[in-house]
Structures are given as C-alpha cells and as structure tokens.
Amino acid sequence: QRSLVTVGEVLAVLAAPDVGPLTLGSGLRLGLAGAESNVAAAVSRLGGSATWIGRVSDDALGDLILRELRAEGVTTVAVRDAAPTSLLLRERRTATHSRTRYYRTHTAGSRLSIEDIPEDLVAGAAVLHITGITPALGEGPSLAVTRAVDIAVDAGVPVSLDINYRSLLWSEADARRTLLPLLRRSDLVFAGPHEARLAVPGAEEPEALAKAICELGPTGAVIKLGVEGAYALLDGQELRQPAVPVTVHDTVGAGDAFAAGYLAELLAGEPPERRLRTAVLLGAFAVSTTGDWEGLPRRHELDLLDHHDDI
Ligand code: CKP
Ligand code: MG
C-alpha cells in the first residue's frame, strides 16, 4: 500500500497531573504530541501505511520521539538537529480549565527546511497530509510545506489540509495569508467552523462554509462539528454524520483523530460514508481517553464504542 505522508513537528508534552498552580517539586508527566504525528500514528493503528517527515533533536527526547513513532509502525524520515525539542507545558489550573504554553522557537522542529523534503517520497505518496501548524512555525517550515505541496500537485498526489489554527503561534490574518494558497491547491480540507470562517470569511453555516471552501479549489470539505458530528461536501455530494455519544475527558487531539479516521478509510478504498463514520468514531476515542493520541484504537477495537453494552 502506498503511504500517507505528512510533514510536521513532534513536541514533548509536560503535563501537570495535579489540579492547581505549579509548585516547587510538583511532578510533570512526559508525553508526546504533534498534530501530524498524531495523524500518522492513528492511521498506522488502523492498518494504513504512514510516513512522518520532520526534524528531531539529537538527544534523548529526539530518540524517544523516533522510538515511539516507529513503535506505532510509522515510517520516520527525520533529520537530526542539534537544537532542542519543542515543549508544550500543560497546567491544570482548575479542574475544568487547562492552560497551555508552547516553547517552540529555535527548536529542531522549527528549523525544518526545504531540503528535508524527499521528492520521491512525496511524489510516491497515496496522499500528502498537512496542517496549518507547521507553516506557523517559521519561514523554513512554511517553505518546506509549500515544497511538499508543489511536489504532490505535480505528481498528481492528493493533498489533505487540516487548517488547525493556533492563536498562540500566529494571528488570523497571517494564517489566512499563508494557508489560503495551500488550501487552493488542496483536494480535501478539514476544519472546525471557526477555522473554516478564517479561510472563507462571510459564510456562517457548515453547508455554506464547505461550499465556499470547495469554490476555492478543493473537491472535498469536511466541517467538524464536535458533539454535532460532521458535515461534508465531497465531489458535490452532501453527507452528514452524527457524533458518537461518549463522556468527554479531554478534547485535545480530537481533530487529528478525526482526520486520521477519514484518511485511513480513504487509503483502504472505502466509500465516503464509511470514511466519515470512522472519522467520528476516532474523534470519540480521542475525547474519551487521556492523551492526544495514546487512547486511539487499533482497527479491531473500532466497534468498541458501538457496542458499549457488551460484557
Ligand atoms: O486539533 P487537535 O486538537 O487534534 O490537535 C492537537 C495537537 O500539535 C496537539 O497534539 C498539539 O501538540 C498540536 O496540536 C499543537 O501544536 O498545538
Ligand atoms: Mg484541530
């Protein structure tokens, strides 16, 4: 099977296990995160082939990142860099309010460059998946993503874009300016309503947002609606998929899980209805488990959330 190829940065997460302000001597749990690697790992767990391209630090954290991705069956195409791994600090300030801080400047991932993108690999991909996070990391990563899209478009490889707007990294105006040219050349776009409005201001409802996105070039737009499921416009065909009801534990990573569910079924040659169904199922796994991606299912576990009365 040809691979899903993605380009991004893996961060080390330092998550406070306790509620309240950080104190001297309080513990921090080490984890890994990153939208693109989340997608790659999730696709791999569903039996799809996934390849992650990026820069990782030349130290223990870099080793950990590569080891974990490889353990998940993801092919890694990584440049080792003397700069450190980016950090994401997650504080549980109150029981219901978490605070996130990035430490991701002058880091290995943010030094990604055009030369790090192997042409053959992208040209031979089943799909190139990119997100709005990598271009927000700086000029080098932004050019690298553009280069990957250039190669994909020239080779006829479909491009999938998750807008993934991060207000901590850049302004909406900067995001729009950089992401619109990428969106126009994408085939498939994933967005929450707010992210979609960022790309196509003026439209409000999911139907209008998807239509406006497709008028810019993509043949598919999938609007993620959280507890209301998803709305998709795919080759002019409208599809609606209700969410799977679960107890929400932690919503971070839900969007990546959703995209991965959709893309894994696309790689497997499944029809749109099935892609959307698996997408919302993966979103449900992500929100009802701890961690951004660790709780995502293997393919044989997919029906777990469908049959919760089973003993
Ligand atoms: O849109 P999502 O909640 O699915 O994305 C979560 C990821 O890469 C998370 O793993 C985090 O590290 C990040 O997005 C990010 O850079 O914000
Ligand atoms: Mg997202």
Side-chain angles (χ1 to χ4, degrees):
Q1 192 190 40
R2 283 187 304 146
S3 201
L4 169 139
V5 171
T6 188
V7 183
E9 175 180 43
V10 181
L11 307 97
V13 181
L14 301 178
D18 303 321
V19 175
L22 289 181
T23 55
L24 200 62
S26 70
L28 290 171
R29 187 184 157 273
L30 178 61
L32 297 175
E36 303 79 15
S37 53
N38 292 346
V39 170
V43 164
S44 177
R45 284 193 183 185
L46 292 180
S49 167
T51 302
W52 177 87
I53 303 172
R55 278 202 186 208
V56 298
S57 59
D58 204 1
D59 59 10
L61 282 177
D63 292 345
L64 174 66
I65 288 167
L66 293 182
R67 208 159 60 231
E68 283 305 314
L69 284 177
R70 288 169 185 163
E72 291 297 333
V74 174
T75 301
T76 54
V77 179
V79 175
R80 303 304 293 261
D81 192 303
T85 289
S86 290
L87 301 180
L88 193 161
L89 181 66
R90 262 188 208 140
E91 223 183 327
R92 296 175 66 195
R93 190 60 190 82
T94 71
T96 51
H97 188 80
S98 292
R99 233 175 6 203
T100 295
R101 178 96 204 241
Y102 291 129
Y103 302 77
R104 62 195 309 183
T105 48
H106 309 298
T107 52
S110 62
R111 301 201 325 177
L112 187 77
S113 93
I114 261 186
E115 291 90 63
D116 301 342
I117 309 296
E119 180 161 358
D120 301 357
L121 195 97
V122 176
V127 56
L128 171 71
H129 178 69
I130 58 169
T131 90
I133 297 175
T134 312
L137 299 179
E139 169 121 357
S142 185
L143 290 171
V145 169
T146 300
R147 172 81 183 124
V149 171
D150 289 345
I151 298 167
V153 169
D154 283 352
V157 172
V159 177
S160 154
L161 165 70
D162 180 340
I163 292 183
N164 256 348
Y165 173 65
R166 294 291 181 269
S167 59
L168 291 174
L169 294 177
W170 54 357
S171 69
E172 294 199 1
D174 285 344
R176 182 179 305 116
R177 196 173 315 117
T178 301
L179 296 182
L180 267 184
L182 297 172
L183 183 147
R184 287 179 196 282
R185 296 193 296 150
S186 298
D187 296 272
L188 177 64
V189 175
F190 295 98
H194 179 80
E195 292 170 334
R197 281 179 211 121
L198 184 148
V200 286
E204 267 302 313
E205 296 307 314
E207 294 80 1
L209 289 165
K211 187 163 174 279
I213 287 173
C214 289
E215 277 164 5
L216 294 178
T219 53
V222 185
I223 312 296
K224 300 169 289 175
L225 303 170
V227 292
E228 281 163 41
Y231 170 83
L233 184 63
L234 303 166
D235 292 315
Q237 189 199 352
E238 291 189 278
L239 286 169
R240 288 181 175 80
Q241 182 67 50
V244 178
V246 285
T247 305
V248 176
H249 192 74
D250 162 21
T251 57
V252 182
D256 305 329
F258 182 101
Y262 187 98
L263 293 167
E265 298 296 24
L266 180 75
L267 291 187
E270 297 291 343
E273 293 78 9
R274 176 69 183 268
R275 295 177 213 158
L276 274 188
R277 170 77 187 144
T278 304
V280 299
L281 260 178
L282 254 77
F285 269 95
V287 301
S288 60
T289 54
T290 315
D292 298 3
W293 56 275
E294 295 93 317
L296 297 181
R298 267 97 192 167
R299 190 168 274 284
H300 69 270
E301 296 174 309
L302 266 184
D303 59 2
L304 226 126
L305 290 180
D306 275 339
H307 305 284
H308 21 242
D309 324 337
D310 290 5
I311 302 170

